Amino acid sequence: MLELLSYGDSGWGDEIIAGLSVTLSLALATLPFGLLAGFFIALAQNSQDATLRAAANIYTTVFRGLPELLTLFIVFYGLPLFLNAVYGLFHPAPDLQINNFLAGMLALGTVFSAYAAEVFQSAFRGIAKGQYEAGTSLGLSWIRTMRFVIVPQLLRLALPGLSNLWLILLKETALVSAIGLPDLLRQTGIAARVSKEAFLFFGVACLFYLLLSILSSFAIGYIERFTQRGEKI
Amino acid sequence: MNHSAHSTYIARDKIFTAARLLGVFLLFLWALLAASAAYAVVSDYATYGKYFATFLRGAGTTLLLVGISLLIGAVLSLPLALARNSNTLLPRFLAYCYVYFFRGTPLIAQTFLVYYGFGGFREFFSTVHLWWLFRDPFYCALLVFSLNTAAYQAEILRGAIASVPRGQTEAGRAMGLSPLMIFFKITLPQALIIALRPYGNEIIIMIKGSAIASIITVFDLMGETRRTFSRTFDYNTYLLAALMYLVMVETLRRVWVKLEQRLTRHLLR
Amino acid sequence: MKSTLSKLVTLVASLSLITTGSAFADGHLRIGTEGAYPPFNNLNADGSLTGFDIEIAQALCDEMQVECEFITQDWDGIIPALLANKFDAIIASMSITEERKKKVDFSEKYYNTPPAIAVAKNSSITSASVPDLAGKTIGAQGSTTHSNYAEEKFSQSEVRLYPTPDEYKLDLENGRLDAVIDDVVVLSEWVNSDAGNCCKVVSTLPIDPVINGEGAGIALRKGEDELREKLNAAIKAIRANGKYAEINNKYFDFDVY
């Protein structure tokens, strides 16, 4: 059994570690993209303009209502079609190719941003009107009010919700194994089929995900204490 | 709810126009997507009608799978939640490990672990007369989903029980009720009302998560969609399935809001 | 922390996320294959590709004097990936069928073998007939001519679809399936190996031209006529010059053409 898990030609250790790094880099690459998109969608949901609000609300309703697996397939197969259709307006023979990693990242980021928007939304509600007024009366522009007054408070308020989304994102990366990205689950799956030790290898996969969750919980606890350092008396 | 306090400050004249432009453009994109899918369906309604009938059967399987899992999960979650709140170390620790495992690992990995992992132990399961359970992919999915949702429901229930004010139990005790009576007649009903909203979310999460069953050969809505797509490579099949999932989830969400309003109307003043 | 971040940036940058160009024009052909279908195409433990399809593809590339690059892709997404320009040709034992011709073009066939049924060695199923398999569970790889065959011809059996042959092999071995259907060469190779000693091939099935098509060909995006003509000429050439026979004899003891 140890030989099956060893590093090198006879074991699957190196393949599994490679899969782990794909899982981690996918989650880490999705996070900033998803956060940024989520933030802007939340802004749009708070906009005074009804059309922008409606467009943003359709987005969150759709992507929070669809199975993540289906979103993954839709984005994975649909994105190249869509981009090439757009590209085709300017180019006679559209031939864009989208890397699998990018497609997976965009698909996961789409789902993440829809949920992150809701978290930001409720965080926005936790910030008093006076904070905006204070920014304006100090003569700060809208962007500077956001940057120096609102966003720092927003992040603290949104942190518990976002931490939860991060833990969900880590687990959701496992779905990309179904569209062919060599992540942790796919690599252990190949090992399981070839070696016929399915229980061992899927057990190992579960343990690795558990480990990632535990490590994340520690990191989140640390970040939460850091952001709350100004709240202590 | 969308008129947040600060929106008036964002919407100065210049940005107002930009927001309107962007909003109209994005709405146009959504409309375009809907129109192109609708056009494809209408222009070949015979084919899509056939897909729709197949997908309905798949949606039935999805609802059956989710419904039974949620019920089994609800039954399992009660002892789990009690063990999590227990004063004795061992049950508290075991329940904690159970919940942590199922919440800390992906549902898809759990599904593979049970379907392919346990599939290797046929002889053992045959001797304990449980192979019928592990032989069938639908039962395997049912088992994993039940165990998974039990962990999440246990956490919902535990939180809700903990948030019922202490005075309620004390009042029950003062009236001379037995602990069992206090729990089932006083604490639990109030806890369930508090848990109503997270329960609704859990049902939606399960409907969406159940698409994973398609990977272990169950023909649920997602399974039927993938089967159809694999023969036709028609991208609209995915959009049709998306619409059906949305209808299921949105209907449930709206019904749930109504239900919550009705069950909590005595709390309004 | 900083070094991790810079590593990540390099990683993302090195992935060359969006690229353009149909590469065939500059003497470079990207070939999509599955890598899970021994003995036709399979991944070695070190990640390299091997098999009949791969060697034929290599011979065709040598014949056409182009440089070939292989890209592995899961079977159920292989045609969408071709259409999405992830590669220029599919050489992965894909049968030439009318259903697929609606979406892609095909070269001439480069081999043609019938489907077959395999069962456990101690199975009560003794023939691949409809009554023998009625009420039984048949496994097949999804999105294949074999799964279509099973669904059309064995309508009284329950058909389960798997992403790769590896999964149906596991489920036939542990008894979740009563039978599996696939190419006779694939199944024979498996039951004659150590991995497949649980099972045996019952018999081959008659080819249905509508379902099974005209044999395995090379799939191309529609309209790539120049590439198709070159591939057809190359297939003819390796059939004539003995290269095909050489590869054929390395893998099989009969002519699969």
Side-chain angles (χ1 to χ4, degrees), chain C residues 79 82-83 88-90 94-108 217-229 231-232:
Chain C
I79 286 186
L82 174 73
L83 299 179
D88 309 308
I90 300 171
M94 182 173 279
S95 301
I96 306 164
T97 64
E98 289 304 318
E99 214 169 45
R100 288 179 180 140
K101 275 186 193 165
K102 288 178 194 155
K103 291 284 170 182
V104 294
D105 279 352
F106 280 99
S107 72
E108 302 288 319
I218 302 166
L220 308 164
R221 278 184 296 276
K222 280 198 174 289
E224 303 250 3
D225 295 336
E226 188 197 340
L227 179 56
R228 199 186 65 219
E229 291 313 317
L231 283 166
N232 284 342

Side-chain angles (χ1 to χ4, degrees), chain B residues 124-236:
Chain B
F124 169 74
F125 286 118
S126 296
T127 48
V128 294
H129 300 288
L130 276 176
W131 180 240
W132 59 271
L133 180 68
F134 292 98
R135 187 178 198 270
D136 190 274
F138 183 83
Y139 290 151
C140 280
L142 204 59
L143 177 71
V144 180
F145 292 178
S146 303
L147 295 178
N148 181 280
T149 187
Y152 283 92
Q153 289 189 36
E155 282 304 277
I156 294 170
L157 200 56
R158 185 182 70 95
I161 290 174
S163 65
V164 174
R166 213 184 143 83
Q168 298 285 333
T169 326
E170 283 166 1
R173 223 177 291 149
M175 289 170 72
L177 298 175
S178 72
L180 219 58
M181 195 80 140
I182 294 174
F183 180 74
F184 280 105
K185 294 285 178 191
I186 298 178
T187 314
L188 195 59
Q190 297 187 62
L192 285 179
I193 284 187
I194 298 169
L196 215 52
R197 183 161 298 186
Y199 267 136
N201 288 339
E202 175 61 15
I203 299 176
I204 291 175
I205 290 173
M206 284 305 290
I207 293 180
K208 302 195 306 170
S210 69
I212 286 168
S214 68
I215 304 181
I216 55 163
T217 76
V218 175
F219 287 116
D220 66 336
L221 177 49
M222 187 73 193
E224 291 290 4
T225 311
R226 291 179 61 180
R227 167 151 70 176
T228 310
F229 181 77
S230 75
R231 288 194 72 155
T232 58
F233 304 109
D234 178 359
Y235 186 68
N236 290 317

Side-chain angles (χ1 to χ4, degrees), chain A residues 84 87 91 93-98, chain C residues 16-23 26 30 85:
Chain A
N84 273 319
Y87 188 46
H91 193 274
D95 49 7
L96 284 178
Q97 310 149 32
I98 288 121
Chain C
S16 72
L17 297 172
I18 300 183
T19 45
T20 65
S22 170
D26 49 11
R30 294 166 308 158
N85 200 26

